[in-house]
Amino acid sequence: MEATKKKEEAEVFISEADQYLFAQGTHYDIYKKLGAHPSVQDGEKGMFFGVWAPNAASVHVIGTFNGWDEMANPMKKIGPGGIHTTFIPGVGVHELYKFLIKTPSGEKLYKADPFANSAELRPGTASRTVDISGFNWTDDAWMEERAGKDYNKEPLAIYECHIGSWMRHPRPEEKGFYNYREFADRIVEYLKEMKYTHVELMGIAEHPFDGSWGYQVTGYYAPTSRYGEPEDFMYLINKLHKNKIGVILDWVPAHFATDAHGLGRFDGQCIFEDPDPRKGEHPDWGTKIFNCGKTEVKNFLIANVLFWIKEFHIDGIRVDAVASMLYLDYGKQDGQWVPNIYGGNKNLEAIEFFKHLNSVVLGTYPGFLTIAEESTAWPKITGKIEDDGLGFSFKWNMGWMHDFCEYMKLDPYFRKDNHYGMTFAMSYNDSENYILPLSHDEVVHLKCSMLNKMPGYKVDKYANLRCGYTFMFGHAGKKLLFMGQEFGQEREWSEERELDWFLLGEDLNKGLQEYVKELLKIYRKYPCLYEIDNSWDGFEWLNCDDKERSTYSFFRKSSTKKNNLLFVINMTPMTWENYKLGVPVKKKYKLLLCSTEERFGGSGEIVPSEITAKKELCDYRDYSITFDLPPYAAAIFTF
């Protein structure tokens, strides 16, 4: 087990330079000054507290160490920027505390620390003193290797996971979550077996309400206490890295929770959000919107990403709800939003914020990933900042996801009428660096699990899903799959229970899991599937027009022209006898994988293990292959 070696405490203080940089929005280590930090003054150990509350008449620290005495520990305002500080001797770790903020009108506000590194377990709302220094990291090899990676040319297969509902304690007397360490031991084993490259963790920053899944945050600098201490979270990341698995965190700069102890009206006025509700509130979500026009707020958010990178060694962030930040009128009716200075609906401050964020983070940490969950056609999300792009590493391809799900839901009889829904994404594929997401959002709120989106009898549903996943893994773009969908979770996801692991006792579910494992293995083994994702140099349709038979055929091309892969997918329950397909070269095409194999839960009817191309014109090509294509069959050939 990794040990934690605490460093010798030094004096923590906030200088004039600290105040200046924070006011400028460029103090990227501000989290080491604001918040609560073990410190030494005049040889005496204790805790240094700092908070930004520019409109407060006074601020006091209250906590378990002073019996929550509201007058015991006043803070001093140290400069014009509104920062208040104090040192309290004798205070150690694991103490609960809040800031008592008095407004000029006499109102008392009891606020959690915005920069706290730990929080009281919900339903408690206090912050906790901790020391996050000194963890014995042993992931140097991973971190060095990451710095040299260009993930546009690397495999990226992400397992989206919610810790609290992935797996629960098997003992009924322990009705609760695995802690970070227990989860580490189980998830590492599973991800290694399945061959994922990364795990994306939902809901890590502290949040009061389980049902928000972590998307309404109160503690941006604190790993949630639901699963243990900050050093337990470090243990999890360290163990994943030692097993060559990257860690991406969901990060939520678009909005924050309105709970009384949170960031809203923090010092009696709106310092984190815009005071105008047309700018500062999401009417549909019941949340507050960060004011990206304020330098201190931008500093709070950008330093937060750097905090997770430097203190917890995370490998990427998936930025939630980017579209809601870029558009001033997102989810709003007329009269609920304010145009920008040019009269338009673009949020100019959010645009500048994203450019600032990506330039600092990616410029400092090559190999780190910033991923935008952006659902519109906003241009150049992953474009270079100097070319007026936003500079993200990747964008979720929400258009592909929508078209894919809508097509796969259809009765096979009607798929011919919607055939081009599945081919449309390739028409804009080279405009961004894309990730193909089948995320948690697609399997909640009566949208059905991925399995139950599929038409037909039970065996048909599994056959359809194997075809769908094959299409996804063959298609250009990196991959993301939400937990449980790899083995055919039948119920919708709920944060209140663990996944239905018992389904793996069923042949169809175990077969689907084995099939996804094979897809992941092939994806990681063959560079043609990942090294040229954003250009036609890596993808070519063979026949994208066979709508009468609802079949798709394409091949993925490697830069070396070797080990290319040919995909043929039959989206109907019909057998297509003597199916003829134009192919690029006169070679032998060797079967690598077929979704109808019995070991995957298929019918056992499979395509030939080897087919030699003949010089016969088909699909505008000089050579072709002919074979019987079974119902709901997805076949991958090497050539």
Side-chain angles (χ1 to χ4, degrees), residues 125-172:
T125 58
S127 300
R128 290 172 72 240
T129 59
V130 289
D131 182 359
I132 63 170
S133 67
F135 182 80
N136 183 29
W137 291 97
T138 55
D139 63 348
D140 289 356
W142 168 270
M143 299 297 282
E144 289 170 17
E145 187 180 341
R146 186 190 81 184
K149 284 187 182 292
D150 174 3
Y151 272 104
N152 280 306
K153 298 175 182 176
E154 296 281 342
L156 188 58
I158 303 167
Y159 188 71
E160 187 187 32
C161 186
H162 179 264
I163 293 178
S165 58
W166 183 69
M167 194 177 281
R168 295 280 177 97
H169 272 294
R171 299 179 294 278

Side-chain angles (χ1 to χ4, degrees), residues 2-224:
E2 283 77 0
T4 301
K5 299 174 183 175
K6 298 302 181 188
K7 66 180 182 183
E8 286 295 314
E9 280 101 0
E11 183 177 359
V12 179
F13 62 94
I14 295 179
S15 66
E16 287 188 10
D18 291 324
Q19 297 173 62
Y20 173 79
L21 291 172
F22 181 56
Q24 294 296 307
T26 55
H27 195 323
Y28 302 127
D29 285 335
I30 190 62
Y31 63 85
K32 294 180 179 178
K33 300 299 184 87
L34 293 176
H37 303 282
S39 181
V40 175
Q41 276 192 19
D42 300 324
E44 192 168 10
K45 292 183 178 182
M47 199 68 61
F48 175 85
F49 294 88
V51 66
W52 177 55
N55 304 297
S58 67
V59 185
H60 291 71
V61 185
I62 57 175
T64 48
F65 44 82
N66 62 18
W68 302 96
D69 182 345
E70 297 190 352
M71 301 306 294
N73 294 111
M75 302 183 78
K76 181 183 179 182
K77 188 174 182 179
I78 61 169
I83 290 175
H84 302 249
T85 66
T86 191
F87 173 77
I88 307 178
V91 177
V93 296
H94 307 309
E95 300 275 10
L96 300 180
Y97 71 99
K98 281 189 176 180
F99 294 121
L100 166 59
I101 297 174
K102 291 183 181 177
T103 70
S105 66
E107 182 184 7
K108 289 183 178 181
L109 301 170
Y110 299 85
K111 291 291 188 176
D113 180 357
F115 286 88
N117 297 140
S118 183
E120 184 182 12
L121 180 63
R122 51 99 178 95
T125 58
S127 300
R128 290 172 72 240
T129 59
V130 289
D131 182 359
I132 63 170
S133 67
F135 182 80
N136 183 29
W137 291 97
T138 55
D139 63 348
D140 289 356
W142 168 270
M143 299 297 282
E144 289 170 17
E145 187 180 341
R146 186 190 81 184
K149 284 187 182 292
D150 174 3
Y151 272 104
N152 280 306
K153 298 175 182 176
E154 296 281 342
L156 188 58
I158 303 167
Y159 188 71
E160 187 187 32
C161 186
H162 179 264
I163 293 178
S165 58
W166 183 69
M167 194 177 281
R168 295 280 177 97
H169 272 294
R171 299 179 294 278
E173 68 271 17
E174 294 192 51
K175 295 179 181 175
F177 308 128
Y178 282 123
N179 63 36
Y180 290 119
R181 290 175 185 263
E182 294 168 325
F183 173 74
D185 297 337
R186 286 154 184 80
I187 195 71
V188 163
E189 182 183 351
Y190 189 70
L191 294 176
K192 283 181 71 177
E193 179 192 353
M194 292 298 294
K195 307 297 184 190
Y196 284 95
T197 66
H198 289 68
V199 62
E200 179 182 314
L201 297 175
M202 295 167 56
I204 294 301
E206 193 58 82
H207 53 284
F209 178 48
D210 288 12
S212 80
W213 312 331
Y215 293 110
Q216 296 189 13
V217 178
T218 48
Y220 277 81
Y221 286 82
T224 177

Side-chain angles (χ1 to χ4, degrees), residues 308-482:
W308 290 111
I309 296 172
K310 290 192 273 189
E311 305 301 327
F312 289 90
H313 291 205
I314 68 158
D315 304 294
I317 52 170
R318 174 266 197 181
V319 184
D320 181 61
V322 169
S324 75
M325 297 179 69
L326 292 175
Y327 295 96
L328 294 164
D329 58 347
Y330 185 92
K332 297 180 178 181
Q333 307 296 322
D334 288 346
Q336 292 183 327
W337 63 283
V338 180
N340 63 32
I341 56 172
Y342 303 112
N345 68 342
K346 292 182 178 180
N347 187 334
L348 306 178
E349 294 158 348
I351 295 169
E352 191 277 331
F353 165 74
F354 283 130
K355 291 179 178 181
H356 187 171
L357 170 75
N358 285 316
S359 64
V360 169
V361 172
L362 300 182
T364 309
Y365 295 95
F368 189 81
L369 301 172
T370 61
I371 302 166
E373 188 237 350
E374 204 284 323
S375 53
T376 75
W378 187 285
K380 299 183 182 179
I381 295 288
T382 59
K384 293 181 179 179
I385 293 168
E386 56 268 29
D387 192 29
D388 204 29
L390 296 186
F392 282 93
S393 312
F394 290 98
K395 171 181 172 173
W396 271 20
N397 194 337
M398 307 292 278
W400 174 89
M401 177 277 299
H402 179 268
D403 293 340
F404 175 86
C405 290
E406 289 303 308
Y407 178 88
M408 294 305 300
K409 282 187 223 173
L410 293 170
D411 183 293
Y413 179 80
F414 296 107
R415 284 178 173 169
K416 62 179 179 289
D417 300 321
N418 294 270
H419 187 77
Y420 295 108
M422 290 285 267
T423 64
F424 180 61
M426 280 308 301
S427 69
Y428 59 81
N429 180 69
D430 57 358
S431 64
E432 303 278 6
N433 301 323
Y434 282 117
I435 291 174
L436 309 183
L438 294 176
S439 75
H440 68 276
D441 269 332
E442 313 326 315
V443 294
V444 290
H445 302 325
L446 304 179
K447 294 178 188 174
C448 298
S449 64
M450 286 308 299
L451 181 81
N452 279 325
K453 292 185 200 304
M454 304 297 117
Y457 294 110
K458 186 170 183 175
V459 69
D460 298 325
K461 290 179 181 293
Y462 284 88
N464 267 285
L465 197 51
R466 291 192 299 271
C467 285
Y469 286 161
T470 312
F471 185 90
M472 174 188 185
F473 274 83
H475 197 283
K478 310 305 181 184
K479 322 301 176 190
L480 179 143
L481 196 60
F482 182 57

Side-chain angles (χ1 to χ4, degrees), residues 216-217 220 254-258 263-264 272-273 286-290:
Q216 296 189 13
V217 178
Y220 277 81
H255 59 136
F256 57 87
T258 57
L263 301 177
F272 286 97
E273 73 274 35
T287 51
K288 298 291 186 181
I289 300 172
F290 279 110

